[in-house]
Amino acid sequence: MNEEIDEYDIYHQDFTTISEWEVFIARIEEVLNEWRLSKAKIPKGNLEFTKKWIGKSEEIKFQSLNFTLSYHTLECELNTNPLKDNKGVEGGWKPSTQLHNGIWEATKNFMDDEDGSPFPVSHWYGLKQYLMLYPSQPLVEENQIKLVMSSINIAFANIDCAVPFFLKIREHWQQCFLGIYEDSEFKTSFDTIHLKRIPNQCSHLNGLANLFKGKIASPVSLEPVLMSAKFSYELKDLEPFVWRPPSQTNEFLSIDGFDVEKLIELPFGAEKNPIQSALLNVMWPRFLENAVIDSASYSDFDPLMAPTWTITIKLRENINCLLSDLVGKMLDLLDDNHLLMDTLGLSRSLGILNPLHKITEAPITISKLVRAAMGSTSVSEFKGPIPDDLLMSLLYYIFPDAVDDDSHKYPEDLQVEMKQSDQEPKLCSAVKSSPAGGLVRRVSLVAARLLEAGGLPYLAHLWYEFTQELQYRWERRIRVPGVAAGPPGARSCLLHQKLQLLNCCIERAGVEAGAGGREGAGGDSDDEFYDCSEEEGEEETCERPAAAGRQERLDDAVMKNGAPLYIPKTQEPPPRTEDQVAEDAALLEAQGGGARGSALRARLLSASLLSDMEAFKAANPGAELCDFCRWYSPRDWRPEGGGALGERMLLPGNPWSEAWAVARPVPAARQRRLFDEQREAQQLLQWLRARTVAGVAELLLPGVLRAGAARASAAGATGGAGAAGSDTRRVLTAAARELAEAEKAAARAGAARVVLGGAAEGCPLEAAARARLLAAAGGALPPPARREFSLRVRDAGGAGGAGAPHVLRAALRQDLLLAGCFTEAAVLL
Amino acid sequence: MISESDSCTSSEIDYIPDQMAGGGDPKWQKDASDQNFDYMFKLLIIGNSSVGKTSFLFRYADDSFTSAFVSTVGIDFKVKTVFRHDKRVKLQIWDTAGQERYRTITTAYYRGAMGFILMYDITNEESFNSVQDWVTQIKTYSWDNAQVILVGNKCDMEEERVVSSERGRQLAEQLGVEFYETSAKENINVKNVFERLVDIICDKMSESLDSEPAIMAGGNRGQRLTEQPQGSSTPNCNC
């Protein structure tokens, strides 16, 4: 059985005398043996295949030619057992039968269907495995083709190959392949002809039928030839199906036509037609040769009478989408680490370079909005690249409360979207949100559109005006609109948290100003005290130091000394944005891991504790630590003897008792404040101004992405939730990619829907759908863009069933492609 | 599966959080500059005051037990490095104050945690009744994929038990979390709880890695990001 391998061994010992050609053949044989493709070694039996093509390849050289020899096969279903040894043959199974049946079955399909294999031969001929020898340079010379083909013949025969073997010939763009398959009973040859012009006798079915029968030249009578035909018509050129680009306007830039609605209407969809081709296929799947006349002068084919109509659509691989473009421009900024204000040359005047420079002394502090209201031009002002009229409209859109016009008011009750329920993943849901319809969304969208329209200078100008307006609002104690109430919540995006914090500052400062006594805006914070209205408890204190700052009684608890125990009014811990929390955490971590670190951390964190203790002492004159614990940490309080400390409060070096020792009775209202809104606000505003380009993009992208996701969802796009994570940029880029995918899919689906109507792609159309198409085409179909005919016949059946098949397929466009496969039966002769 | 390394606590600063952005989010990426670990998990121990959170952590990190620790002021942490599948996993375990007044401070740290040990005291009914509240806190403030284990501590004090194991188990089932009874004093299940939590987090990690590989930084940081640039919105990955 392995004779040839022995020969091959001898071969190698005698390497001096052999020719290049012999080496080439030997090399092919070597590879085929390695891949175990001889009939003796290949698995037998009726294997079940998946639809997935797998393959392997080797490089082979011959003279100056380089070839890639590749083997392609459908993946076997795992659960089918190939028959061992020769049982399959005994059971009637033969490789040639499988091949013949495959060829026959494949004629039900047409040549332009695809099966996912790298070369079309598999679906032309219904192959489940094949070998392909592919030259790196086109193989056009007849001599060379013959030489290589005979090498293949020899190698095929030498190893008794079990798989059809093809050679790619002619220019690479021409789908021309020669192929052979041979066993003891049959020899099948595969041939392809490509002609750039269609010769007369091949331009119609009758001519092709003559060609086919001539080629078979069978000595025995044939069964009647079976035929099928398919005419294809371009659909996307039909007027009703012509693709129109989505409206993409920078119209908002023209001043007289400015319309906020146009600005915020995010562009969505493909820039170019996502459909590469849309074909109406008119098919006659099966008829006998004498049923139809189709000659140069007359044709029976009437597409309107054809039994089957289908639509097939081919979509472009890469399409640019408008929303993704917009997002992409913003995303690109993440690489730019220059200060955004440098773009305008403003960094120095804004004091960004010098942190000691006081913000309040920055030369420009009056809001543009106010200037406009006052009639402007009084202050020597910074002139940015955005035209004033446009800028004003945009600022009024972002800060609608600056103008007496209700058209763009923010919704009353803005909420940060809560955690989504698990079952419906939404686009970009990993990106932190901000209230839909809120300020962050508006400023992000305006920024994105301006960036697209005018580049970085426009974005910088907007950011400048935005921060100026925030500065102005802080100085005048005017709340920033369109921001959710309350302290910053880590659930929303960082920009939103910053604005929440700014509003906290503004409110706190407003209360200060309202309380009167203290210095107003811009005062030195060190002398200020936390303010909580100073009405004292009703029940008058009778003795000794007067109690102050009582909130309410703690149930009916009494102190160790018998006096009623009051909960004091307290300072709330200062609101923090997530970046500040991270800084705090870093500071705590920096104290180290040991006991010393723990002690330092406790000290860092005892400000709130001390404040509460002082408030408690003020509200409860004569209180002891155990009384404090009764309110603050009840499990560290014991009832024995009217009140005692729990075990752990008695430990030496206890931060609780240390703090208690130094705490003076001071009501919260007169304590040093834990939250210094002056410092916070100024730091925050400077922080916003001093962002890099990348930093601003990072602040704005969540709003852009969330708005984009909303736009995409409205347009029917869907997508899974990308993973959330720690790295903001990674989350942003992942979300942007997710959005781009969704947009692309939606654009494709939308374009396909226009052409398909309600019909499914590739399925036979109902009468109504056919009528719709016909109407779109104006009642009659144009000349077909492509015609395809398939002719097949089998030799009179042998004992084991159907005989060997002969097939000719012809695809006619401007050119002609003929693919034929003819089988000679050795035994019949 | 998990073995302990010698460098339980290190005094140097092991990682510096992303100042600008990462904020409250989990840090589980490998820090290339740090040779001491491959991954870092941030865990939080929460629960009512004096259920034994600090003792539990000391037992795990230092293998020591003292009947009384100072009541934690605000928040504290310890570090321990363990091995899992040949990877050094550095656990940064945050120990929180259980008192009501500390809620605002401690919940700010929830966002960064990948796992929670929610603890009650089996001798204290109230601490058990508060479990639901703590779960709500986690839901509100934590990262969506954070993992939780319910722990009933002080199981050595059988005579004073008021919460049966069965009730604990039922509650855990109802909450969809795993459950252990532990004793920091007798060193029962302490290590198991941490190991289990690390396992659950790792499982979750590999799950999300399947869907979004970019999360896992490690050596192949950003690799998959560049793999399929789409349209013009080319993702950039030099984070």
Side-chain angles (χ1 to χ4, degrees):
Chain A
M1 182 48 60
N2 286 335
E3 282 169 346
E4 66 275 0
I5 290 178
D6 296 338
E7 275 174 26
Y8 158 79
D9 283 341
I10 294 161
Y11 236 116
H12 259 254
Q13 289 160 16
D14 188 14
F15 55 87
T16 49
T17 58
I18 55 173
S19 71
E20 258 187 300
W21 185 46
E22 286 166 308
V23 172
F24 178 53
I25 296 170
R27 174 76 179 125
I28 295 176
E29 288 176 26
E30 182 188 28
V31 173
L32 298 191
N33 272 319
E34 200 175 291
W35 291 346
R36 305 175 71 79
L37 292 179
S38 71
K39 289 195 183 71
K41 287 183 180 145
I42 199 147
K44 296 175 186 65
N46 292 313
L47 301 175
E48 296 286 323
F49 295 97
T50 64
K51 296 200 161 159
K52 186 180 164 206
W53 284 94
I54 51 178
K56 40 192 164 185
S57 65
E58 285 283 340
E59 301 294 321
I60 294 184
K61 259 185 114 114
F62 176 42
Q63 293 169 348
S64 60
L65 303 169
N66 288 312
F67 291 91
T68 305
L69 175 59
S70 54
Y71 172 58
H72 304 274
T73 177
L74 282 172
E75 202 173 41
C76 270
E77 289 282 5
L78 285 174
N79 50 6
T80 55
N81 294 318
L83 296 169
K84 293 275 179 326
D85 306 325
N86 289 330
K87 276 182 199 155
V89 179
E90 285 158 21
W93 185 89
K94 288 180 238 166
S96 60
T97 318
Q98 188 191 26
L99 179 71
H100 293 166
N101 290 340
I103 291 170
W104 192 253
E105 287 298 307
T107 56
K108 288 181 183 163
N109 305 323
F110 289 92
M111 288 170 83
D112 54 354
D113 300 334
E114 279 174 13
D115 65 354
S117 131
F119 299 97
V121 290
S122 58
H123 73 264
W124 289 354
Y125 304 121
L127 307 175
K128 296 186 172 61
Q129 300 108 355
Y130 62 93
L131 284 156
M132 177 64 70
L133 191 64
Y134 194 93
S136 60
Q137 294 296 315
L139 204 59
V140 285
E141 259 182 69
E142 210 60 40
N143 284 342
Q144 276 185 329
I145 295 174
K146 279 185 177 153
L147 186 61
V148 176
M149 204 55 211
S150 41
S151 317
I152 290 176
N153 268 305
I154 295 168
F156 190 99
N158 277 347
I159 73 143
D160 195 20
C161 181
V163 175
F165 199 144
F166 289 87
L167 171 67
K168 172 77 182 72
I169 56 167
R170 312 288 173 212
E171 299 292 342
H172 281 346
W173 58 268
Q174 293 178 302
Q175 293 197 317
C176 291
F177 305 91
L178 290 177
I180 57 147
Y181 177 81
E182 197 172 2
D183 61 21
S184 55
E185 287 177 77
F186 297 101
K187 175 175 181 180
T188 305
S189 49
F190 305 90
D191 200 350
T192 327
I193 296 167
H194 181 253
L195 300 170
K196 289 175 193 167
R197 288 231 181 79
I198 305 174
N200 252 348
Q201 71 269 27
C202 294
S203 67
H204 45 82
L205 184 55
N206 289 7
L208 290 166
N210 290 337
L211 181 77
F212 181 52
K213 283 190 266 188
K215 176 87 182 165
I216 298 170
S218 168
V220 295
S221 68
L222 289 167
E223 291 181 359
V225 178
L226 268 177
M227 300 179 170
S228 44
K230 170 179 177 180
F231 290 8
S232 299
Y233 302 85
E234 270 291 348
L235 279 184
K236 68 173 183 178
D237 300 336
L238 297 182
E239 175 56 24
F241 299 145
V242 167
W243 186 81
R244 282 169 191 81
S247 64
Q248 171 202 21
T249 55
N250 281 336
E251 278 169 39
F252 65 89
L253 285 175
S254 71
I255 290 147
D256 36 81
F258 178 77
D259 180 358
V260 165
E261 301 304 327
K262 273 183 197 149
L263 170 92
I264 53 175
E265 174 73 15
L266 282 171
F268 186 85
E271 205 170 53
K272 296 209 184 80
N273 193 348
I275 296 182
Q276 192 161 42
S277 70
L279 293 177
L280 167 65
N281 306 295
V282 170
M283 292 182 276
W284 295 264
R286 182 188 163 93
F287 53 92
L288 289 174
E289 61 171 315
N290 39 23
V292 171
I293 298 172
D294 178 49
S295 67
S297 52
Y298 172 81
S299 174
D300 276 341
F301 288 119
D302 177 0
L304 301 189
M305 303 302 289
T308 311
W309 283 23
T310 64
I311 299 175
T312 48
I313 290 177
K314 198 165 173 196
L315 294 165
R316 279 180 221 282
E317 280 296 310
N318 281 314
I319 50 174
N320 264 354
C321 289
L322 302 173
L323 177 59
S324 312
D325 262 11
L326 185 77
V327 173
K329 288 199 175 94
M330 184 73 83
L331 213 54
D332 289 343
L333 300 184
L334 289 177
D335 288 333
D336 189 338
N337 288 317
H338 297 96
L339 293 174
L340 181 58
M341 286 304 118
D342 276 351
T343 313
L344 302 175
L346 283 176
S347 300
R348 187 176 297 276
S349 64
L350 290 174
I352 294 169
L353 296 179
N354 180 0
L356 298 174
H357 193 96
K358 270 199 139 184
I359 318 311
T360 45
E361 288 165 18
I364 313 145
T365 52
I366 294 183
S367 160
K368 193 106 186 170
L369 294 181
V370 176
R371 273 207 308 284
M374 294 189 313
S376 104
T377 66
S378 54
V379 191
S380 74
E381 63 192 69
F382 164 73
K383 188 91 181 91
I386 306 175
D388 263 4
D389 291 356
L390 173 61
L391 181 65
M392 293 315 298
S393 309
L394 297 175
L395 288 176
Y396 284 138
Y397 172 60
I398 298 168
F399 297 101
D401 57 343
V403 66
D404 296 328
D405 174 5
D406 286 351
S407 49
H408 296 299
K409 273 219 153 11
Y410 286 112
E412 284 294 318
D413 185 28
L414 287 167
Q415 298 275 339
V416 181
E417 182 185 332
M418 272 311 278
K419 217 171 277 189
Q420 55 165 356
S421 42
D422 297 325
Q423 64 268 29
E424 43 158 355
K426 282 196 209 132
L427 274 171
C428 298
S429 52
V431 176
K432 286 192 179 184
S433 184
S434 59
L439 181 140
V440 172
R441 289 278 173 91
R442 287 193 186 179
V443 75
S444 306
L445 285 189
V446 168
R449 298 304 301 269
L450 284 177
L451 176 68
E452 192 181 40
L456 203 50
Y458 268 43
L459 175 65
H461 190 187
L462 176 76
W463 190 252
Y464 168 77
E465 295 293 347
F466 176 66
T467 50
Q468 288 300 100
E469 175 66 19
L470 294 179
Q471 174 80 40
Y472 172 81
R473 282 171 184 265
W474 158 242
E475 287 168 8
R476 302 297 155 98
R477 312 289 183 246
I478 306 168
R479 269 184 63 93
V480 180
V483 175
R491 191 156 293 287
S492 64
C493 64
L494 187 58
L495 180 56
H496 185 257
Q497 291 181 39
K498 290 286 175 195
L499 297 176
Q500 283 182 310
L501 182 60
L502 183 61
N503 271 347
C504 286
C505 295
I506 290 171
E507 271 157 38
R508 196 65 67 83
V511 170
E512 291 288 311
R518 321 281 172 220
E519 278 180 42
D524 192 351
S525 61
D526 282 2
D527 294 322
E528 296 204 21
F529 298 98
Y530 172 72
D531 187 285
C532 60
S533 54
E534 284 191 46
E535 306 145 32
E536 252 120 75
E538 307 279 301
E539 299 143 74
E540 255 328 295
T541 43
C542 39
E543 359 79 276
R544 290 177 300 171
R550 284 174 174 173
Q551 178 79 30
E552 59 182 342
R553 268 199 74 173
L554 176 68
D555 302 327
D556 51 359
V558 291
M559 297 198 292
K560 196 171 180 183
N561 65 15
L565 196 156
Y566 286 90
I567 299 173
K569 289 180 180 165
T570 49
Q571 293 197 55
E572 286 310 307
R576 306 290 273 164
T577 55
E578 67 182 25
D579 56 332
Q580 292 174 315
V581 172
E583 280 171 29
D584 295 348
L587 182 66
L588 294 181
E589 279 166 40
Q591 308 309 316
R596 204 177 109 77
S598 289
L600 287 170
R601 270 188 288 280
R603 187 153 305 161
L604 284 172
L605 286 162
S606 60
S608 273
L609 181 64
L610 186 65
S611 157
D612 289 346
M613 282 179 169
E614 295 197 331
F616 186 84
K617 279 187 173 177
N620 299 287
E624 293 180 32
L625 180 56
C626 64
D627 300 320
F628 177 75
C629 284
R630 185 165 188 188
W631 163 56
Y632 207 84
S633 182
R635 293 199 68 188
D636 288 308
W637 175 81
R638 293 169 182 283
E640 293 97 43
L645 283 173
E647 185 186 2
R648 58 183 185 166
M649 284 295 170
L650 296 170
L651 294 172
N654 187 322
W656 295 69
S657 52
E658 281 174 10
W660 184 257
V662 298
R664 298 163 302 148
V666 185
R670 289 197 284 115
Q671 286 173 10
R672 176 100 179 257
R673 285 169 313 175
L674 295 175
F675 178 58
D676 181 349
E677 75 273 358
Q678 295 289 336
R679 210 187 58 201
E680 282 292 341
Q682 289 177 10
Q683 276 179 355
L684 186 156
L685 289 165
Q686 186 67 344
W687 185 88
L688 287 176
R689 271 188 287 260
R691 290 299 81 200
T692 59
V693 175
V696 170
E698 224 168 90
L699 287 175
L700 293 172
L701 268 167
V704 176
L705 285 167
R706 279 315 197 78
R711 174 76 178 88
S713 301
T718 52
S726 59
D727 190 319
T728 308
R729 292 192 180 188
R730 188 161 288 146
V731 171
L732 291 175
T733 45
R737 199 165 57 217
E738 186 184 311
L739 186 60
E741 282 304 312
E743 185 183 19
K744 212 186 281 187
R748 284 177 169 160
R753 217 167 22 243
V754 170
V755 175
L756 286 170
E761 198 200 338
C763 293
L765 298 181
E766 306 280 329
R770 287 173 70 146
R772 169 179 167 271
L773 280 183
L774 201 56
L781 293 174
R786 179 179 182 277
R787 287 179 297 152
E788 179 177 337
F789 299 104
S790 143
L791 302 85
R792 68 264 193 193
V793 69
R794 294 190 99 142
D795 287 333
H806 309 282
V807 173
L808 179 71
R809 317 187 116 204
L812 298 85
R813 288 179 302 196
Q814 302 298 317
D815 56 349
L816 168 70
L817 184 67
L818 286 170
C821 136
F822 300 92
T823 305
E824 294 165 44
V827 287
L828 282 182
L829 291 175
Chain B
M1 194 172 289
I2 298 181
S3 63
E4 287 162 37
S5 85
D6 295 331
S7 60
C8 278
T9 53
S10 57
S11 56
E12 75 269 34
I13 305 166
D14 293 288
Y15 91 111
I16 296 161
D18 186 354
Q19 291 285 325
M20 167 59 217
D25 274 350
K27 308 261 168 211
W28 60 14
Q29 61 263 38
K30 175 178 170 178
D31 187 345
S33 64
D34 193 314
Q35 297 307 308
N36 292 330
F37 62 94
D38 298 301
Y39 298 106
M40 166 137 146
F41 291 175
K42 199 161 168 177
L43 312 177
L44 234 72
I45 311 180
I46 59 172
N48 275 12
S49 165
S50 77
V51 297
K53 298 182 288 295
T54 307
S55 305
F56 190 77
L57 178 54
F58 268 76
R59 169 60 79 188
Y60 181 61
D62 298 353
D63 199 20
S64 65
F65 180 80
T66 317
S67 62
F69 278 101
V70 168
S71 184
T72 307
V73 176
I75 190 158
D76 195 6
F77 78 93
K78 277 191 170 291
V79 173
K80 186 170 173 88
T81 305
V82 297
F83 280 85
R84 188 190 187 275
H85 298 328
D86 299 330
K87 295 278 184 227
R88 282 157 305 183
V89 180
K90 177 171 157 180
L91 303 178
Q92 189 188 51
I93 310 158
W94 291 79
D95 177 24
T96 62
Q99 286 88 356
E100 187 67 34
R101 279 288 290 168
Y102 280 114
R103 286 282 169 93
T104 324
I105 293 171
T106 53
T107 51
Y109 291 82
Y110 281 25
R111 194 80 196 168
M114 297 164 66
F116 288 84
I117 293 172
L118 201 178
M119 188 176 291
Y120 66 89
D121 173 357
I122 64 151
T123 68
N124 182 277
E125 180 79 30
E126 196 191 336
S127 70
F128 182 71
N129 293 338
S130 302
V131 167
Q132 188 62 57
D133 282 351
W134 289 106
V135 169
T136 310
Q137 300 276 319
I138 295 174
K139 285 224 171 81
T140 313
Y141 295 104
S142 84
W143 176 62
D144 294 22
N145 275 347
Q147 303 301 307
V148 182
I149 288 186
L150 180 66
V151 166
N153 195 27
K154 307 194 187 174
C155 72
D156 54 292
M157 297 166 72
E158 201 53 56
E159 292 95 78
E160 290 164 62
R161 178 194 280 277
V162 294
V163 182
S164 69
S165 304
E166 193 44 40
R167 286 173 67 200
R169 221 183 321 280
Q170 276 174 4
L171 180 60
E173 203 167 298
Q174 190 190 322
L175 297 171
V177 301
E178 296 197 22
F179 171 68
Y180 287 87
E181 283 202 347
T182 64
S183 163
K185 186 176 179 185
E186 303 292 336
N187 199 4
I188 300 169
N189 272 341
V190 176
K191 205 168 147 198
N192 290 348
V193 167
F194 281 98
E195 286 181 358
R196 188 59 199 138
L197 187 54
V198 169
D199 278 351
I200 301 175
I201 292 168
C202 286
D203 290 351
K204 194 74 197 176
M205 241 171 91
S206 46
E207 248 175 60
S208 45
L209 281 178
D210 294 339
S211 57
E212 177 47 77
I215 274 193
M216 172 85 95
N220 47 10
R221 187 168 183 162
Q223 210 171 53
R224 289 281 284 270
L225 266 180
T226 48
E227 208 170 87
Q228 28 179 216
Q230 305 293 347
S232 67
S233 58
T234 316
N236 54 70
C237 48
N238 59 338
C239 317

